[in-house]
Structures are given as C-alpha cells and as structure tokens.
Amino acid sequence: MRLTRLETFHNEFVCFVKATAEDGTIGWGQTATYNADITAAVFHRQIAPWALGQECTEIPALLARIERAEHKFPGSYRNRALAGLDTALWDMAGKRAGLPVAALIGGSAGLVRAYASSMRRDLTAQEEAERLTRICAEQGFTAAKFRIGAECGQDVDQWPGRTEEIIPAVTGALRGLETLVDANSGFSVARAIAVGRMLQDHGVGHYEEPVPWWDHIATARVTAALEIDVAGGEQDVEVSSFARMIAQKTVDVIQPDVMYLGGLTKTLHVCGLAATAGVPVTPHAANLGLVTMVTMHLLRAIPNAGKYLEFSIEGDDYYPWQRDLFLGDPFAVEAGHLRVSEAPGWGVEVNPAWLEQAIYQDAGEGAQTAYAKLYHGTMAQGL
C-alpha cells in the first residue's frame, strides 16, 4: 500500500500532517509544537520526498529509510518533522484496521491515570498551592506536579527563596496526594542533591531534570545520591541517547516525548529498551496537542508504563494556540483519568475551522528542489 499524498497545515505553533494512501485511507498526524513553521519546511524538504510513493504499512521500515537518507541531519528538527509522518501513518493504520492505535501495539482502549501538571513559575507558593488544591478537588486528580528552581537557572531561583517556600506549601496543601516536581535543568549537582533531600523529607516522589539535561554524568550523580525517583529524557531526541541513559542508570524514570523523539515508532523502541532493564516510562506530554493523545495510547500498551500521564492544567493564558485544535472534548477528565476511546486511529478529529486558517502546502507541489534533483534519484537506489 503506497503513500500517494502528504499535506501540511501549520501556523507558528502547530503543524498537522495529512497522509493519504492509494486505497484512499487518510491519517492525521502532528509534528512537535513550537516553531512549527520551520518544522513544516523541514518536513517538505527532508521527510516527504523520501516517503511519497513508498510502502506505508510497514511504518518502522519507512522511517528507517528516511533516517538513512537524512543521516547527515540527526537531531531535533528532523525528528520533530518525522513525528508528523509517523503519527499520521499510525492513525491511518488504525483507521484501516478499525481499531484504536493502542490495540495495534498490544494494548486496548480504556482509562489512563493522569497527574495535574503545572507549567507556571510566576505564581507564589500560596497561589500555586491553592490552585492545585482546587483543580485536584474539582477534577479528581490524585497526583500533581509543580515547578521549582528556574529553567536552566544555574542555581538562581525564579526569585529568592521560592523553591524553599513552594515545596512545603504545595505538599502540605496536597496531603494525601502524590506530588512531583520539575526543576527544568535548574540546579548544580550540589544544589540539586540538597533540594532533593528536602523533597524526600516532604514526601515528593518524582524529581525531574534536576541538573542540565544534557549532562548525563551530573544527572547520574544526583540519582545515585537520592532515594527519590530522578526522572529525565524529555529533551533527548535520539534512541542512542536513551540507550546510554538506561545502560548507565542515569535516571530512575525515563521521559521520552513522542513528538521530540520522532513519533510513536521510535518511542516504542525506547520503551522496549527500558522494559528490558526494568525502567518505568512516564513520558513528557506538556500540552493538549496530539502529543497527549499519542501518549495515552502508548501508556495503554507498554508493560513498563509509569504511574501516570502528564496532563497540562494550563489554559488560554499560557497555551492560547491549543484552543480548538480538535472537535469535541478528547481530553475530558474523568475522576483524574483520561480515556482512550474505541474509535479507530487516534480517536480525534482535527477541527476544520482551524485548518481553514492554517498555511497549507501539498508535498507533491514543488517537491523537486535543486537538492532533490541532484541527489534523491541516486541516493534512493541504495535505500
């Protein structure tokens, strides 16, 4: 079954991919969010030309072909763009089979426990404690995450003393609920360990990105020094990086982002490596784009799923661009859980009104760039 058409719809924040096969089956995917206009350009230059006309039911084989073709361009943008193709093809596969994607990868439809994930550092300790208490009570969450330190802050807090204030304030307010924190690469090793001990004393169970995420050696030192689960990996975009993290016991919990990593296929590979090593997976899913829905399907299927799904509690003031992406209410919370439906594919429908306002491009139009004319023909013969 060959892939006959690829189309994108994007603005600066979101890029949807529409894939059509020769039997007329359509699948919808999404690239990683932010700078989606740049990612769309990468998609049309470096992903679509290798995918059009190819067999599309063997998704891992097609993705591997593209990665070999674009081996000189590993990393973030290639994988962000690759996620758009991957997620569209999985949606297509589900629709062709009449099954949710979760069922295609060994799982089933059903509920996924979520934690209420705060993205804010501009709130005082008391404001955050009151907000999380209210939201957890209203929506039934039994776990919540809050932010400490400052993003890549080099031991400089968002404002002096905020970390020391917010830990007892939130954990005290949420007594009886599980608590998680995210430091977003904010601390040195010494400071991260000191804060980690404070977190342990207040019953926090999950300590995310305590030191610069790219420094795996520093992260491993923090992990070894603490009893609390140290988590990381959301920024890592290559399978090889996760393989090293798992082998070297860099963290206790890995957190791949399915869109940053390149889609469901590569994330399943990483989850398999982690499962073999007995490492749980609590993915990064920080907005209500397709990343959260794909992660829901993933967690319904893998044997080493972590305890909960990340679920952003932020609205239009923080994420104005996520409004009205989909029809209906695919992210309705049911007593602290979200539901993977029995609908085929991802079980969501992209909002036509959003698509009408997006920048449109058909990959078949103007796909023959100068680079493609020179090299695609000869390179494709060996792939």
Side-chain angles (χ1 to χ4, degrees):
M1 190 64 61
R2 297 191 179 275
L3 188 62
T4 58
R5 193 175 189 185
L6 287 168
E7 303 161 87
T8 60
F9 305 77
H10 78 266
N11 58 25
E12 187 177 332
F13 295 95
V14 176
C15 175
F16 285 113
V17 174
K18 181 182 180 182
T20 305
E22 60 185 341
D23 66 347
T25 307
I26 290 171
W28 283 94
Q30 186 190 316
T31 70
T33 51
Y34 302 115
N35 289 331
D37 49 344
I38 299 174
T39 307
V42 173
F43 180 87
H44 287 281
R45 178 68 63 88
Q46 296 184 272
I47 305 299
W50 299 111
L52 284 169
Q54 299 301 312
E55 165 62 47
C56 62
T57 58
E58 297 297 327
I59 302 173
L62 179 54
L63 265 62
R65 178 182 194 270
I66 295 168
E67 289 194 302
R68 290 195 302 273
E70 296 294 339
H71 66 276
K72 292 182 182 294
F73 297 90
S76 179
Y77 272 108
R78 187 199 67 182
N79 288 339
R80 284 169 170 265
L82 193 63
L85 175 67
D86 173 277
T87 52
L89 294 181
W90 278 107
D91 187 53
M92 178 187 291
K95 289 173 178 174
R96 186 177 286 117
L99 294 169
V101 173
L104 300 182
I105 58 174
S108 64
L111 293 174
V112 181
R113 182 192 178 200
Y115 69 82
S117 185
S118 168
M119 307 294 160
R120 303 278 293 273
R121 281 188 168 85
D122 59 338
L123 301 176
T124 68
Q126 190 60 36
E127 288 170 338
E128 185 69 288
E130 291 174 354
R131 182 174 82 128
L132 286 172
T133 299
R134 173 179 53 80
I135 290 173
C136 289
E138 290 173 349
Q139 302 189 49
F141 293 111
T142 54
K145 185 170 80 178
F146 58 99
R147 306 278 162 159
I148 59 173
E151 192 165 358
C152 295
Q154 298 180 301
D155 286 342
V156 178
D157 213 335
Q158 193 72 13
W159 60 76
R162 183 179 183 274
T163 292
E164 286 77 7
E165 292 172 0
I166 199 168
I167 292 171
V170 172
T171 56
L174 299 182
R175 202 172 301 280
L177 278 64
E178 293 182 46
T179 49
L180 310 82
V181 301
D182 194 342
N184 290 113
S185 301
F187 302 134
S188 66
V189 171
R191 170 73 168 149
I193 292 172
V195 170
R197 289 173 179 152
M198 186 188 315
L199 294 168
Q200 291 173 175
D201 290 343
H202 286 85
V204 178
H206 170 113
Y207 188 11
E208 191 169 329
E209 269 189 16
V211 295
W213 67 266
W214 55 90
D215 192 340
H216 289 182
I217 294 174
T219 304
R221 289 173 61 192
V222 177
T223 301
L226 298 172
E227 296 176 8
I228 188 175
D229 281 345
V230 174
E234 72 179 69
Q235 314 293 354
D236 291 271
V237 296
E238 296 294 346
V239 171
S240 58
S241 180
F242 282 98
R244 288 192 297 272
M245 290 174 67
I246 294 165
Q248 296 168 3
K249 304 184 187 306
T250 303
V251 293
D252 300 299
V253 178
I254 62 166
Q255 297 187 277
D257 181 303
V258 294
M259 298 302 187
Y260 295 170
L261 187 55
L264 179 66
T265 303
K266 293 178 70 176
T267 306
L268 285 169
H269 187 176
V270 166
C271 292
L273 296 176
T276 299
V279 177
V281 180
T282 300
H284 177 252
N287 63 75
L288 301 188
L290 194 59
V291 61
T292 294
M293 183 57 67
V294 176
T295 302
M296 289 161 57
H297 284 255
L298 175 75
L299 291 176
R300 287 288 307 174
I302 60 173
N304 54 330
K307 293 186 287 186
Y308 18 53
L309 164 80
E310 179 172 23
F311 183 75
S312 169
I313 59 173
E314 308 303 343
D316 289 352
D317 57 338
Y318 194 90
Y319 285 135
W321 51 264
Q322 71 181 14
R323 171 178 280 275
D324 297 328
L325 292 178
F326 306 105
L327 296 181
D329 190 9
F331 301 117
V333 178
E334 305 176 29
H337 294 70
L338 279 83
R339 182 178 295 277
V340 173
S341 75
E342 296 282 358
W346 299 125
V348 297
E349 186 175 351
V350 182
N351 187 350
W354 189 95
L355 296 174
E356 289 176 3
Q357 299 177 32
I359 298 170
Y360 171 79
Q361 187 172 348
D362 188 325
E365 298 172 2
Q368 285 299 303
T369 63
Y371 176 85
K373 289 176 182 178
L374 277 172
Y375 300 120
H376 276 200
T378 54
M379 288 173 64
Q381 294 173 10
L383 298 174

